mmCIF file of all heavy atoms in Angstrom:
data_model
loop_
_atom_site.group_PDB
_atom_site.id
_atom_site.type_symbol
_atom_site.label_atom_id
_atom_site.label_comp_id
_atom_site.label_asym_id
_atom_site.label_seq_id
_atom_site.Cartn_x
_atom_site.Cartn_y
_atom_site.Cartn_z
ATOM 1 N N SER W 228 3.254 -14.513 31.032
ATOM 2 C CA SER W 228 2.879 -15.181 32.283
ATOM 3 C C SER W 228 4.068 -15.739 33.037
ATOM 4 O O SER W 228 3.985 -15.998 34.235
ATOM 5 C CB SER W 228 1.909 -16.338 31.984
ATOM 6 O OG SER W 228 2.578 -17.374 31.283
ATOM 7 N N GLY W 229 5.199 -15.924 32.345
ATOM 8 C CA GLY W 229 6.324 -16.600 32.957
ATOM 9 C C GLY W 229 6.124 -18.106 32.912
ATOM 10 O O GLY W 229 5.115 -18.603 32.395
ATOM 11 N N LEU W 230 7.074 -18.838 33.472
ATOM 12 C CA LEU W 230 7.034 -20.300 33.414
ATOM 13 C C LEU W 230 6.572 -20.940 34.715
ATOM 14 O O LEU W 230 6.786 -22.122 34.949
ATOM 15 C CB LEU W 230 8.423 -20.834 33.038
ATOM 16 C CG LEU W 230 8.920 -20.437 31.642
ATOM 17 C CD1 LEU W 230 10.347 -20.910 31.435
ATOM 18 C CD2 LEU W 230 7.999 -21.001 30.569
ATOM 19 N N GLY W 231 5.923 -20.128 35.567
ATOM 20 C CA GLY W 231 5.382 -20.684 36.796
ATOM 21 C C GLY W 231 6.281 -20.525 38.010
ATOM 22 O O GLY W 231 5.933 -21.010 39.096
ATOM 23 N N ASP W 232 7.408 -19.876 37.844
ATOM 24 C CA ASP W 232 8.304 -19.623 38.976
ATOM 25 C C ASP W 232 7.729 -18.486 39.811
ATOM 26 O O ASP W 232 7.695 -17.337 39.379
ATOM 27 C CB ASP W 232 9.693 -19.242 38.450
ATOM 28 C CG ASP W 232 10.668 -18.939 39.581
ATOM 29 O OD1 ASP W 232 10.302 -19.147 40.751
ATOM 30 O OD2 ASP W 232 11.780 -18.474 39.278
ATOM 31 N N ARG W 233 7.280 -18.789 41.005
ATOM 32 C CA ARG W 233 6.613 -17.793 41.839
ATOM 33 C C ARG W 233 7.555 -16.701 42.325
ATOM 34 O O ARG W 233 7.122 -15.634 42.760
ATOM 35 C CB ARG W 233 5.953 -18.481 43.036
ATOM 36 C CG ARG W 233 4.820 -19.425 42.629
ATOM 37 C CD ARG W 233 4.122 -20.001 43.857
ATOM 38 N NE ARG W 233 3.018 -20.885 43.467
ATOM 39 C CZ ARG W 233 2.227 -21.496 44.327
ATOM 40 N NH1 ARG W 233 2.427 -21.342 45.637
ATOM 41 N NH2 ARG W 233 1.256 -22.278 43.895
ATOM 42 N N GLU W 234 8.851 -16.960 42.273
ATOM 43 C CA GLU W 234 9.810 -15.957 42.716
ATOM 44 C C GLU W 234 10.036 -14.874 41.664
ATOM 45 O O GLU W 234 10.579 -13.814 41.968
ATOM 46 C CB GLU W 234 11.146 -16.636 43.061
ATOM 47 C CG GLU W 234 11.059 -17.589 44.247
ATOM 48 C CD GLU W 234 12.402 -18.201 44.571
ATOM 49 O OE1 GLU W 234 13.391 -17.866 43.877
ATOM 50 O OE2 GLU W 234 12.462 -19.002 45.518
ATOM 51 N N THR W 235 9.648 -15.161 40.423
ATOM 52 C CA THR W 235 9.813 -14.188 39.349
ATOM 53 C C THR W 235 8.610 -13.258 39.304
ATOM 54 O O THR W 235 7.465 -13.713 39.243
ATOM 55 C CB THR W 235 9.973 -14.894 37.988
ATOM 56 O OG1 THR W 235 11.132 -15.735 38.027
ATOM 57 C CG2 THR W 235 10.122 -13.877 36.866
ATOM 58 N N GLU W 236 8.871 -11.967 39.329
ATOM 59 C CA GLU W 236 7.811 -10.969 39.210
ATOM 60 C C GLU W 236 7.620 -10.652 37.731
ATOM 61 O O GLU W 236 8.516 -10.126 37.086
ATOM 62 C CB GLU W 236 8.168 -9.697 39.979
ATOM 63 C CG GLU W 236 7.043 -8.670 40.020
ATOM 64 C CD GLU W 236 7.418 -7.413 40.792
ATOM 65 O OE1 GLU W 236 8.631 -7.127 40.922
ATOM 66 O OE2 GLU W 236 6.505 -6.717 41.268
ATOM 67 N N THR W 237 6.459 -11.014 37.202
ATOM 68 C CA THR W 237 6.222 -10.813 35.770
ATOM 69 C C THR W 237 6.044 -9.338 35.450
ATOM 70 O O THR W 237 5.717 -8.523 36.312
ATOM 71 C CB THR W 237 4.983 -11.590 35.311
ATOM 72 O OG1 THR W 237 3.828 -11.095 36.017
ATOM 73 C CG2 THR W 237 5.139 -13.083 35.567
ATOM 74 N N TRP W 238 6.212 -9.026 34.174
ATOM 75 C CA TRP W 238 6.165 -7.605 33.803
ATOM 76 C C TRP W 238 4.793 -6.965 34.010
ATOM 77 O O TRP W 238 4.737 -5.774 34.348
ATOM 78 C CB TRP W 238 6.693 -7.394 32.386
ATOM 79 C CG TRP W 238 5.920 -8.006 31.257
ATOM 80 C CD1 TRP W 238 6.154 -9.192 30.644
ATOM 81 C CD2 TRP W 238 4.811 -7.428 30.573
ATOM 82 N NE1 TRP W 238 5.253 -9.410 29.637
ATOM 83 C CE2 TRP W 238 4.428 -8.338 29.560
ATOM 84 C CE3 TRP W 238 4.107 -6.243 30.707
ATOM 85 C CZ2 TRP W 238 3.364 -8.081 28.701
ATOM 86 C CZ3 TRP W 238 3.050 -5.978 29.853
ATOM 87 C CH2 TRP W 238 2.686 -6.893 28.864
ATOM 88 N N PRO W 239 3.649 -7.667 33.869
ATOM 89 C CA PRO W 239 2.376 -7.020 34.218
ATOM 90 C C PRO W 239 2.311 -6.627 35.693
ATOM 91 O O PRO W 239 1.776 -5.562 36.040
ATOM 92 C CB PRO W 239 1.330 -8.090 33.876
ATOM 93 C CG PRO W 239 1.965 -8.905 32.804
ATOM 94 C CD PRO W 239 3.404 -8.975 33.206
ATOM 95 N N ARG W 240 2.867 -7.466 36.574
ATOM 96 C CA ARG W 240 2.858 -7.127 38.003
ATOM 97 C C ARG W 240 3.812 -5.968 38.297
ATOM 98 O O ARG W 240 3.549 -5.137 39.170
ATOM 99 C CB ARG W 240 3.237 -8.359 38.834
ATOM 100 C CG ARG W 240 2.187 -9.458 38.736
ATOM 101 C CD ARG W 240 2.359 -10.527 39.786
ATOM 102 N NE ARG W 240 3.744 -10.987 39.914
ATOM 103 C CZ ARG W 240 4.072 -12.243 40.218
ATOM 104 N NH1 ARG W 240 3.134 -13.148 40.399
ATOM 105 N NH2 ARG W 240 5.323 -12.595 40.334
ATOM 106 N N ILE W 241 4.917 -5.920 37.574
ATOM 107 C CA ILE W 241 5.842 -4.792 37.742
ATOM 108 C C ILE W 241 5.164 -3.487 37.321
ATOM 109 O O ILE W 241 5.286 -2.460 38.000
ATOM 110 C CB ILE W 241 7.127 -5.012 36.922
ATOM 111 C CG1 ILE W 241 7.897 -6.215 37.468
ATOM 112 C CG2 ILE W 241 8.008 -3.767 36.945
ATOM 113 C CD1 ILE W 241 9.105 -6.608 36.627
ATOM 114 N N LEU W 242 4.447 -3.530 36.207
ATOM 115 C CA LEU W 242 3.713 -2.337 35.757
ATOM 116 C C LEU W 242 2.729 -1.876 36.819
ATOM 117 O O LEU W 242 2.633 -0.678 37.121
ATOM 118 C CB LEU W 242 2.962 -2.636 34.455
ATOM 119 C CG LEU W 242 3.725 -2.594 33.134
ATOM 120 C CD1 LEU W 242 2.766 -2.889 31.995
ATOM 121 C CD2 LEU W 242 4.397 -1.251 32.929
ATOM 122 N N ALA W 243 1.982 -2.822 37.375
ATOM 123 C CA ALA W 243 0.980 -2.479 38.389
ATOM 124 C C ALA W 243 1.633 -1.857 39.616
ATOM 125 O O ALA W 243 1.142 -0.860 40.165
ATOM 126 C CB ALA W 243 0.191 -3.728 38.780
ATOM 127 N N ARG W 244 2.756 -2.419 40.029
ATOM 128 C CA ARG W 244 3.430 -1.927 41.239
ATOM 129 C C ARG W 244 4.103 -0.574 41.014
ATOM 130 O O ARG W 244 3.987 0.328 41.840
ATOM 131 C CB ARG W 244 4.473 -2.955 41.693
ATOM 132 C CG ARG W 244 5.343 -2.487 42.850
ATOM 133 C CD ARG W 244 6.260 -3.592 43.334
ATOM 134 N NE ARG W 244 7.094 -4.146 42.284
ATOM 135 C CZ ARG W 244 8.228 -3.570 41.836
ATOM 136 N NH1 ARG W 244 8.629 -2.406 42.345
ATOM 137 N NH2 ARG W 244 8.951 -4.158 40.900
ATOM 138 N N GLU W 245 4.775 -0.428 39.888
ATOM 139 C CA GLU W 245 5.564 0.780 39.667
ATOM 140 C C GLU W 245 4.741 1.976 39.203
ATOM 141 O O GLU W 245 5.137 3.123 39.428
ATOM 142 C CB GLU W 245 6.670 0.499 38.645
ATOM 143 C CG GLU W 245 7.756 -0.453 39.137
ATOM 144 C CD GLU W 245 8.898 -0.567 38.148
ATOM 145 O OE1 GLU W 245 8.731 -0.136 36.979
ATOM 146 O OE2 GLU W 245 9.960 -1.093 38.540
ATOM 147 N N HIS W 246 3.593 1.721 38.565
ATOM 148 C CA HIS W 246 2.864 2.826 37.939
ATOM 149 C C HIS W 246 1.427 2.965 38.434
ATOM 150 O O HIS W 246 0.642 3.714 37.857
ATOM 151 C CB HIS W 246 2.892 2.665 36.417
ATOM 152 C CG HIS W 246 4.286 2.620 35.857
ATOM 153 N ND1 HIS W 246 5.093 3.731 35.792
ATOM 154 C CD2 HIS W 246 5.026 1.583 35.368
ATOM 155 C CE1 HIS W 246 6.271 3.401 35.265
ATOM 156 N NE2 HIS W 246 6.249 2.097 35.002
ATOM 157 N N ASP W 247 1.100 2.232 39.477
ATOM 158 C CA ASP W 247 -0.206 2.369 40.120
ATOM 159 C C ASP W 247 -1.352 2.212 39.131
ATOM 160 O O ASP W 247 -2.241 3.062 39.012
ATOM 161 C CB ASP W 247 -0.306 3.730 40.831
ATOM 162 C CG ASP W 247 -1.558 3.834 41.699
ATOM 163 O OD1 ASP W 247 -2.003 2.784 42.197
ATOM 164 O OD2 ASP W 247 -2.069 4.957 41.868
ATOM 165 N N ILE W 248 -1.324 1.118 38.378
ATOM 166 C CA ILE W 248 -2.432 0.802 37.479
ATOM 167 C C ILE W 248 -2.935 -0.599 37.813
ATOM 168 O O ILE W 248 -2.190 -1.452 38.300
ATOM 169 C CB ILE W 248 -2.034 0.876 35.986
ATOM 170 C CG1 ILE W 248 -0.875 -0.076 35.679
ATOM 171 C CG2 ILE W 248 -1.698 2.296 35.585
ATOM 172 C CD1 ILE W 248 -0.518 -0.126 34.218
ATOM 173 N N ALA W 249 -4.213 -0.821 37.567
ATOM 174 C CA ALA W 249 -4.814 -2.135 37.793
ATOM 175 C C ALA W 249 -4.645 -2.964 36.522
ATOM 176 O O ALA W 249 -5.194 -2.617 35.473
ATOM 177 C CB ALA W 249 -6.296 -1.980 38.137
#
Side-chain angles (χ1 to χ4, degrees):
S228 68
L230 296 175
D232 179 7
R233 295 184 179 181
E234 295 182 1
T235 300
E236 186 180 23
T237 62
W238 65 264
R240 294 194 313 214
I241 295 174
L242 279 181
R244 174 175 56 80
E245 292 187 346
H246 302 288
D247 189 30
I248 58 175

